[in-house]
Amino acid sequence: MIIDLRSDTVTRPTLGMKEAMFSAPVGDDVFGEDPTVNALEEKAAQLFGMEAGLFCPSGTMTNQIAIRLHTRIQTEVICHKYSHIYLYEGGGIMANSHASVKLLEGDLGKITAKQVAESINPDDVHAPETTLVSLENTMNKGGGSIYTLDEIKPIHALCKEKGIKLHLDGARLFNALVETGESPADWGAHFDTISICLSKGLGCPIGSVLLGSKADIKRARKVRKVFGGGMRQAGFLAAAGIYALDNQVERLKEDHARARALGEMLNKLPVVSEIFPVATNIVIARLEGTTPEEFMKKLADQNIKSVKFGKDLVRFVTHLDFEDEHLEEFGRRIAKI
Protein backbone atom coordinates (compact mmCIF):
# COMPACT_ATOMS: atom_id res chain seq x y z
CA MET A 1 0.00 0.00 0.00
CA ILE A 2 1.40 3.37 -1.05
CA ILE A 3 0.22 6.18 1.22
CA ASP A 4 0.30 9.35 -0.87
CA LEU A 5 -0.06 12.48 1.25
CA ARG A 6 1.72 14.91 -1.06
CA SER A 7 -1.49 16.76 -1.97
CA ASP A 8 -5.24 16.41 -2.32
CA THR A 9 -4.66 16.72 -6.07
CA VAL A 10 -3.59 13.05 -6.28
CA THR A 11 -7.15 11.72 -6.00
CA ARG A 12 -8.82 9.72 -8.75
CA PRO A 13 -12.46 9.98 -9.84
CA THR A 14 -14.89 7.77 -7.95
CA LEU A 15 -17.13 5.32 -9.79
CA GLY A 16 -20.09 7.69 -9.52
CA MET A 17 -18.03 10.54 -10.91
CA LYS A 18 -16.82 8.41 -13.82
CA GLU A 19 -20.39 7.45 -14.67
CA ALA A 20 -21.42 11.12 -14.64
CA MET A 21 -18.52 11.99 -16.92
CA PHE A 22 -19.16 9.25 -19.46
CA SER A 23 -22.85 10.11 -19.73
CA ALA A 24 -22.41 13.89 -20.05
CA PRO A 25 -23.89 15.67 -23.08
CA VAL A 26 -21.20 17.81 -24.70
CA GLY A 27 -20.64 20.46 -27.33
CA ASP A 28 -18.01 23.02 -28.31
CA ASP A 29 -17.43 25.23 -25.29
CA VAL A 30 -15.50 27.90 -27.20
CA PHE A 31 -18.75 28.47 -29.11
CA GLY A 32 -20.60 28.39 -25.78
CA GLU A 33 -22.38 25.22 -26.89
CA ASP A 34 -21.34 22.66 -24.27
CA PRO A 35 -24.45 22.15 -22.13
CA THR A 36 -22.59 20.50 -19.26
CA VAL A 37 -20.00 23.26 -19.02
CA ASN A 38 -22.80 25.82 -19.08
CA ALA A 39 -24.61 23.89 -16.34
CA LEU A 40 -21.50 23.77 -14.14
CA GLU A 41 -20.82 27.48 -14.54
CA GLU A 42 -24.44 28.35 -13.75
CA LYS A 43 -24.55 25.97 -10.78
CA ALA A 44 -21.37 27.35 -9.22
CA ALA A 45 -22.46 30.95 -9.77
CA GLN A 46 -25.87 30.35 -8.21
CA LEU A 47 -24.28 28.54 -5.27
CA PHE A 48 -22.25 31.64 -4.42
CA GLY A 49 -24.96 34.13 -5.37
CA MET A 50 -22.77 35.55 -8.15
CA GLU A 51 -23.81 36.41 -11.69
CA ALA A 52 -21.64 34.14 -13.83
CA GLY A 53 -18.86 31.58 -13.92
CA LEU A 54 -16.05 30.47 -16.21
CA PHE A 55 -14.71 26.90 -16.31
CA CYS A 56 -10.92 26.71 -16.67
CA PRO A 57 -8.30 23.96 -16.62
CA SER A 58 -6.64 25.08 -13.38
CA GLY A 59 -6.80 27.30 -10.33
CA THR A 60 -3.66 29.04 -11.47
CA MET A 61 -5.50 30.09 -14.62
CA THR A 62 -8.59 31.33 -12.77
CA ASN A 63 -6.43 33.31 -10.35
CA GLN A 64 -4.31 34.79 -13.11
CA ILE A 65 -7.37 35.74 -15.15
CA ALA A 66 -8.82 37.52 -12.11
CA ILE A 67 -5.58 39.42 -11.57
CA ARG A 68 -5.59 40.46 -15.23
CA LEU A 69 -9.17 41.72 -14.86
CA HIS A 70 -8.44 43.82 -11.79
CA THR A 71 -5.02 45.26 -12.63
CA ARG A 72 -3.15 46.96 -15.44
CA ILE A 73 0.44 48.04 -16.01
CA GLN A 74 1.81 50.10 -13.10
CA THR A 75 -0.77 48.93 -10.60
CA GLU A 76 -0.25 46.80 -7.50
CA VAL A 77 -1.69 43.71 -5.82
CA ILE A 78 -1.74 43.36 -2.03
CA CYS A 79 -1.47 39.80 -0.71
CA HIS A 80 0.18 37.73 2.00
CA LYS A 81 3.82 36.84 1.32
CA TYR A 82 2.90 33.15 1.32
CA SER A 83 0.00 33.50 -1.13
CA HIS A 84 -0.29 30.87 -3.85
CA ILE A 85 -0.68 33.62 -6.48
CA TYR A 86 2.78 34.89 -5.54
CA LEU A 87 4.73 31.75 -4.62
CA TYR A 88 3.35 29.02 -6.85
CA GLU A 89 2.10 30.55 -10.09
CA GLY A 90 5.37 31.00 -11.95
CA GLY A 91 5.65 34.76 -11.57
CA GLY A 92 2.33 35.12 -13.34
CA ILE A 93 1.41 38.45 -11.75
CA MET A 94 4.34 40.03 -13.53
CA ALA A 95 4.34 37.88 -16.66
CA ASN A 96 0.61 38.08 -17.38
CA SER A 97 -0.45 41.42 -15.90
CA HIS A 98 2.75 43.48 -15.53
CA ALA A 99 1.62 44.41 -12.02
CA SER A 100 3.61 45.04 -8.87
CA VAL A 101 3.05 43.11 -5.63
CA LYS A 102 3.05 44.25 -2.00
CA LEU A 103 3.64 41.31 0.32
CA LEU A 104 2.31 41.35 3.87
CA GLU A 105 3.15 39.33 6.97
CA GLY A 106 0.36 37.68 8.93
CA ASP A 107 -0.41 34.90 11.38
CA LEU A 108 -0.75 31.52 9.62
CA GLY A 109 -0.88 33.21 6.23
CA LYS A 110 -3.75 35.58 6.98
CA ILE A 111 -3.88 39.37 6.79
CA THR A 112 -6.16 41.94 8.42
CA ALA A 113 -8.05 45.03 7.31
CA LYS A 114 -5.67 47.16 9.38
CA GLN A 115 -2.70 45.78 7.49
CA VAL A 116 -4.40 46.34 4.16
CA ALA A 117 -5.30 49.93 5.08
CA GLU A 118 -1.69 50.64 6.00
CA SER A 119 -0.48 49.14 2.71
CA ILE A 120 -2.64 51.00 0.19
CA ASN A 121 -0.40 53.31 -1.78
CA PRO A 122 -0.99 57.06 -1.75
CA ASP A 123 -1.87 58.95 -4.91
CA ASP A 124 1.77 59.63 -5.67
CA VAL A 125 3.71 59.63 -8.93
CA HIS A 126 6.36 57.44 -7.30
CA ALA A 127 4.02 54.61 -6.29
CA PRO A 128 1.96 52.10 -8.28
CA GLU A 129 -1.79 52.41 -7.82
CA THR A 130 -3.27 49.78 -5.51
CA THR A 131 -6.11 48.15 -7.44
CA LEU A 132 -6.46 44.65 -5.99
CA VAL A 133 -6.36 42.76 -2.69
CA SER A 134 -6.14 38.97 -2.95
CA LEU A 135 -6.88 36.56 -0.09
CA GLU A 136 -6.56 32.78 0.11
CA ASN A 137 -8.95 30.45 1.98
CA THR A 138 -7.93 27.99 3.21
CA MET A 139 -4.35 29.18 3.43
CA ASN A 140 -2.03 26.48 2.11
CA LYS A 141 1.21 27.77 3.67
CA GLY A 142 -0.66 28.50 6.88
CA GLY A 143 -1.37 24.81 7.33
CA GLY A 144 -4.91 24.99 5.95
CA SER A 145 -5.82 27.91 8.20
CA ILE A 146 -9.29 29.43 7.82
CA TYR A 147 -10.55 32.95 7.31
CA THR A 148 -14.00 33.51 8.78
CA LEU A 149 -16.56 35.97 7.45
CA ASP A 150 -16.02 38.16 10.50
CA GLU A 151 -12.41 38.58 9.35
CA ILE A 152 -13.40 39.16 5.73
CA LYS A 153 -16.11 41.78 6.28
CA PRO A 154 -13.83 44.66 7.36
CA ILE A 155 -11.45 43.94 4.47
CA HIS A 156 -14.40 43.97 2.06
CA ALA A 157 -15.71 47.23 3.53
CA LEU A 158 -12.28 48.85 3.23
CA CYS A 159 -11.84 47.75 -0.38
CA LYS A 160 -15.30 49.01 -1.29
CA GLU A 161 -14.59 52.38 0.35
CA LYS A 162 -11.28 52.74 -1.49
CA GLY A 163 -12.50 51.46 -4.85
CA ILE A 164 -10.16 48.45 -4.72
CA LYS A 165 -11.17 45.05 -6.08
CA LEU A 166 -11.17 41.99 -3.80
CA HIS A 167 -10.33 38.51 -5.13
CA LEU A 168 -10.47 35.19 -3.32
CA ASP A 169 -8.24 32.27 -4.17
CA GLY A 170 -10.71 29.69 -2.88
CA ALA A 171 -8.78 26.61 -3.96
CA ARG A 172 -9.85 24.90 -0.73
CA LEU A 173 -12.75 27.17 0.17
CA PHE A 174 -15.17 24.28 0.67
CA ASN A 175 -12.82 22.86 3.30
CA ALA A 176 -13.26 26.12 5.20
CA LEU A 177 -17.03 26.26 4.74
CA VAL A 178 -17.72 22.76 6.05
CA GLU A 179 -15.81 23.71 9.21
CA THR A 180 -17.37 27.14 9.82
CA GLY A 181 -20.88 26.33 8.60
CA GLU A 182 -20.90 29.57 6.60
CA SER A 183 -22.73 29.59 3.27
CA PRO A 184 -21.13 30.03 -0.16
CA ALA A 185 -23.61 32.82 -0.90
CA ASP A 186 -22.41 34.82 2.10
CA TRP A 187 -18.89 34.61 0.75
CA GLY A 188 -19.96 35.51 -2.77
CA ALA A 189 -21.42 38.76 -1.44
CA HIS A 190 -18.01 39.96 -0.24
CA PHE A 191 -15.77 39.42 -3.28
CA ASP A 192 -15.56 40.76 -6.81
CA THR A 193 -14.19 37.43 -8.04
CA ILE A 194 -13.74 33.99 -6.49
CA SER A 195 -11.77 31.04 -7.80
CA ILE A 196 -12.95 27.61 -6.66
CA CYS A 197 -10.87 24.52 -7.40
CA LEU A 198 -12.56 21.22 -8.24
CA SER A 199 -9.44 19.03 -8.42
CA LYS A 200 -8.32 19.21 -4.79
CA GLY A 201 -10.60 18.13 -1.95
CA LEU A 202 -13.58 17.73 -4.25
CA GLY A 203 -11.77 14.97 -6.11
CA CYS A 204 -12.16 15.98 -9.76
CA PRO A 205 -9.47 15.10 -12.31
CA ILE A 206 -9.13 18.70 -13.50
CA GLY A 207 -10.70 22.13 -13.37
CA SER A 208 -11.51 25.34 -11.52
CA VAL A 209 -14.30 27.88 -11.89
CA LEU A 210 -13.88 31.66 -11.78
CA LEU A 211 -16.96 33.46 -10.44
CA GLY A 212 -17.86 37.11 -10.81
CA SER A 213 -20.13 39.63 -12.49
CA LYS A 214 -21.43 39.03 -16.01
CA ALA A 215 -19.24 41.86 -17.28
CA ASP A 216 -16.10 40.47 -15.63
CA ILE A 217 -16.74 36.92 -16.84
CA LYS A 218 -17.32 38.16 -20.39
CA ARG A 219 -13.90 39.81 -20.27
CA ALA A 220 -12.47 36.73 -18.56
CA ARG A 221 -13.44 34.55 -21.54
CA LYS A 222 -11.20 36.65 -23.77
CA VAL A 223 -8.34 36.39 -21.29
CA ARG A 224 -8.86 32.62 -21.01
CA LYS A 225 -8.63 32.42 -24.79
CA VAL A 226 -5.30 34.25 -24.96
CA PHE A 227 -3.99 32.09 -22.08
CA GLY A 228 -4.75 29.02 -24.19
CA GLY A 229 -7.54 27.88 -21.93
CA GLY A 230 -10.34 27.60 -24.46
CA MET A 231 -11.56 23.98 -24.39
CA ARG A 232 -13.87 22.17 -26.77
CA GLN A 233 -15.93 19.19 -25.56
CA ALA A 234 -15.06 19.99 -21.96
CA GLY A 235 -18.40 18.77 -20.65
CA PHE A 236 -16.86 15.42 -19.75
CA LEU A 237 -14.67 17.31 -17.26
CA ALA A 238 -17.40 19.71 -16.17
CA ALA A 239 -19.64 16.75 -15.33
CA ALA A 240 -17.10 15.69 -12.72
CA GLY A 241 -17.39 19.16 -11.18
CA ILE A 242 -21.18 18.98 -11.01
CA TYR A 243 -20.98 15.54 -9.41
CA ALA A 244 -18.44 16.77 -6.87
CA LEU A 245 -20.53 19.78 -5.85
CA ASP A 246 -23.55 17.52 -5.40
CA ASN A 247 -21.86 14.61 -3.63
CA GLN A 248 -18.39 15.33 -2.29
CA VAL A 249 -18.52 18.52 -0.24
CA GLU A 250 -19.78 17.32 3.15
CA ARG A 251 -17.35 14.40 3.18
CA LEU A 252 -14.49 16.90 3.47
CA LYS A 253 -15.09 16.73 7.23
CA GLU A 254 -13.73 13.18 7.13
CA ASP A 255 -10.46 14.45 5.65
CA HIS A 256 -10.21 17.00 8.45
CA ALA A 257 -10.77 14.41 11.17
CA ARG A 258 -8.08 12.17 9.70
CA ALA A 259 -5.72 15.12 9.39
CA ARG A 260 -6.09 15.88 13.09
CA ALA A 261 -5.40 12.24 13.94
CA LEU A 262 -2.41 12.21 11.61
CA GLY A 263 -1.06 15.34 13.26
CA GLU A 264 -1.30 13.72 16.68
CA MET A 265 0.64 10.70 15.41
CA LEU A 266 3.38 12.86 13.94
CA ASN A 267 3.62 14.98 17.06
CA LYS A 268 4.76 11.93 19.03
CA LEU A 269 7.90 11.55 16.91
CA PRO A 270 11.11 12.83 18.57
CA VAL A 271 12.17 14.63 15.37
CA VAL A 272 8.93 16.68 15.23
CA SER A 273 9.18 19.87 17.27
CA GLU A 274 5.87 21.42 16.20
CA ILE A 275 2.67 20.64 14.37
CA PHE A 276 0.92 23.69 12.93
CA PRO A 277 -2.70 23.98 14.16
CA VAL A 278 -4.69 21.50 12.07
CA ALA A 279 -7.79 23.39 10.94
CA THR A 280 -8.68 21.44 7.82
CA ASN A 281 -6.89 18.78 5.74
CA ILE A 282 -3.31 20.08 5.79
CA VAL A 283 -0.72 18.99 8.36
CA ILE A 284 2.63 20.80 8.54
CA ALA A 285 5.35 19.33 10.75
CA ARG A 286 8.39 21.30 11.88
CA LEU A 287 11.48 19.14 12.35
CA GLU A 288 14.49 19.28 14.65
CA GLY A 289 17.61 17.17 14.57
CA THR A 290 17.02 16.12 10.97
CA THR A 291 16.33 17.64 7.57
CA PRO A 292 13.16 17.36 5.50
CA GLU A 293 15.12 15.34 2.96
CA GLU A 294 16.31 12.83 5.56
CA PHE A 295 12.89 12.53 7.15
CA MET A 296 11.11 12.17 3.81
CA LYS A 297 13.60 9.47 2.79
CA LYS A 298 12.63 7.45 5.87
CA LEU A 299 8.97 8.00 5.03
CA ALA A 300 9.55 6.95 1.44
CA ASP A 301 11.20 3.76 2.68
CA GLN A 302 7.84 3.03 4.31
CA ASN A 303 5.96 3.90 1.08
CA ILE A 304 4.70 7.20 2.51
CA LYS A 305 4.83 10.22 0.21
CA SER A 306 5.02 13.81 1.50
CA VAL A 307 6.49 17.15 0.35
CA LYS A 308 9.13 19.51 1.67
CA PHE A 309 7.46 22.78 2.67
CA GLY A 310 10.35 24.87 3.93
CA LYS A 311 13.86 24.53 5.34
CA ASP A 312 12.59 22.51 8.31
CA LEU A 313 8.99 21.77 7.29
CA VAL A 314 7.22 18.78 5.76
CA ARG A 315 3.59 18.85 4.57
CA PHE A 316 0.97 16.10 4.56
CA VAL A 317 -2.49 16.51 2.97
CA THR A 318 -5.42 14.17 3.58
CA HIS A 319 -7.93 13.54 0.81
CA LEU A 320 -10.64 11.41 -0.76
CA ASP A 321 -8.34 8.42 -1.32
CA PHE A 322 -6.87 8.45 2.21
CA GLU A 323 -9.29 6.44 4.33
CA ASP A 324 -9.29 4.99 7.85
CA GLU A 325 -7.31 1.94 6.78
CA HIS A 326 -4.60 4.20 5.37
CA LEU A 327 -4.56 6.26 8.58
CA GLU A 328 -4.10 3.13 10.71
CA GLU A 329 -1.36 1.88 8.42
CA PHE A 330 0.32 5.29 8.52
CA GLY A 331 0.48 5.02 12.31
CA ARG A 332 2.03 1.56 12.14
CA ARG A 333 4.65 2.62 9.61
CA ILE A 334 5.85 5.83 11.28
CA ALA A 335 6.27 3.86 14.50
CA LYS A 336 9.11 2.08 12.70
CA ILE A 337 10.95 5.32 11.94
Side-chain angles (χ1 to χ4, degrees):
M1 178 192 292
I2 295 175
I3 299 176
D4 194 341
L5 294 166
R6 290 172 298 173
S7 177
D8 42 10
T9 61
V10 302
T11 58
R12 293 173 174 83
T14 62
L15 178 60
M17 182 177 286
K18 289 178 181 177
E19 291 173 347
M21 293 169 71
F22 285 130
S23 62
V26 297
D28 190 319
D29 180 49
V30 175
F31 289 121
E33 295 175 354
D34 190 303
T36 309
V37 172
N38 294 342
L40 171 63
E41 292 171 344
E42 182 178 354
K43 182 182 186 69
Q46 289 181 350
L47 186 63
F48 282 85
M50 302 183 83
E51 291 183 351
L54 181 66
F55 184 48
C56 294
S58 70
T60 292
M61 183 176 285
T62 48
N63 282 334
Q64 290 300 316
I65 290 173
I67 293 166
R68 173 70 75 84
L69 293 179
H70 302 317
T71 62
R72 60 186 184 279
I73 293 176
Q74 293 182 286
T75 61
E76 187 164 81
V77 181
I78 293 175
C79 63
H80 192 278
K81 70 177 184 178
Y82 291 150
S83 294
H84 191 280
I85 63 166
Y86 175 71
L87 284 183
Y88 297 120
E89 298 187 7
I93 297 173
M94 179 279 296
N96 298 318
S97 299
H98 300 280
S100 181
V101 187
K102 183 168 289 183
L103 303 175
L104 306 186
E105 303 276 350
D107 186 40
L108 295 175
K110 301 192 300 180
I111 59 178
T112 66
K114 182 175 184 294
Q115 288 177 288
V116 174
E118 293 171 348
S119 302
I120 296 171
N121 287 330
D123 184 9
D124 187 305
V125 70
H126 302 92
E129 179 187 356
T130 304
T131 62
L132 176 63
V133 174
S134 180
L135 307 177
E136 184 177 327
N137 197 26
T138 66
M139 185 63 188
N140 180 25
K141 291 286 283 187
S145 57
I146 297 173
Y147 277 102
T148 65
L149 270 176
D150 286 341
E151 294 170 314
I152 295 298
K153 287 176 180 177
I155 299 175
H156 168 247
L158 174 66
C159 288
K160 190 172 183 179
E161 175 192 346
K162 300 294 185 179
I164 296 170
K165 299 296 184 178
L166 184 59
H167 172 67
L168 178 65
D169 175 359
R172 295 183 175 92
L173 179 56
F174 288 101
N175 291 86
L177 296 181
V178 298
E179 283 295 315
T180 64
E182 296 164 345
S183 76
D186 286 339
W187 277 74
H190 290 85
F191 289 88
D192 294 285
T193 48
I194 294 177
S195 165
I196 57 170
C197 186
L198 304 169
S199 64
K200 292 188 171 68
L202 296 186
C204 294
I206 190 172
S208 291
V209 181
L210 179 65
L211 305 171
S213 68
K214 288 181 179 179
D216 277 345
I217 296 303
K218 182 178 180 180
R219 291 175 57 216
R221 288 187 184 278
K222 289 190 175 183
V223 179
R224 184 185 70 172
K225 181 65 176 176
V226 79
F227 282 178
M231 298 179 285
R232 301 299 179 175
Q233 289 72 35
F236 297 115
L237 301 173
I242 294 172
Y243 181 89
L245 291 173
D246 286 339
N247 297 282
Q248 295 184 175
V249 173
E250 286 301 314
R251 61 146 304 279
L252 292 170
K253 295 177 183 177
E254 300 173 18
D255 296 344
H256 302 172
R258 293 185 185 112
R260 287 188 284 269
L262 188 146
E264 291 172 3
M265 292 177 183
L266 288 167
N267 205 32
K268 294 176 182 178
L269 297 179
V271 296
V272 174
S273 64
E274 178 190 4
I275 296 292
F276 284 31
V278 182
T280 48
N281 69 323
I282 297 175
V283 182
I284 297 179
R286 189 181 302 279
L287 307 176
E288 63 179 3
T290 189
T291 66
E293 290 82 4
E294 292 170 342
F295 184 57
M296 290 168 60
K297 174 62 169 60
K298 292 180 179 179
L299 292 172
D301 289 342
Q302 297 294 328
N303 281 325
I304 297 172
K305 296 183 179 184
S306 57
V307 296
K308 181 179 177 180
F309 221 47
K311 66 177 183 178
D312 58 354
L313 302 175
V314 175
R315 187 189 74 169
F316 305 81
V317 184
T318 58
H319 51 76
L320 179 67
D321 292 340
F322 180 76
E323 300 180 347
D324 286 339
E325 62 179 310
H326 300 95
L327 178 64
E328 293 168 7
E329 183 63 19
F330 178 87
R332 286 190 286 267
R333 292 183 188 182
I334 65 167
K336 301 175 184 178
I337 297 177

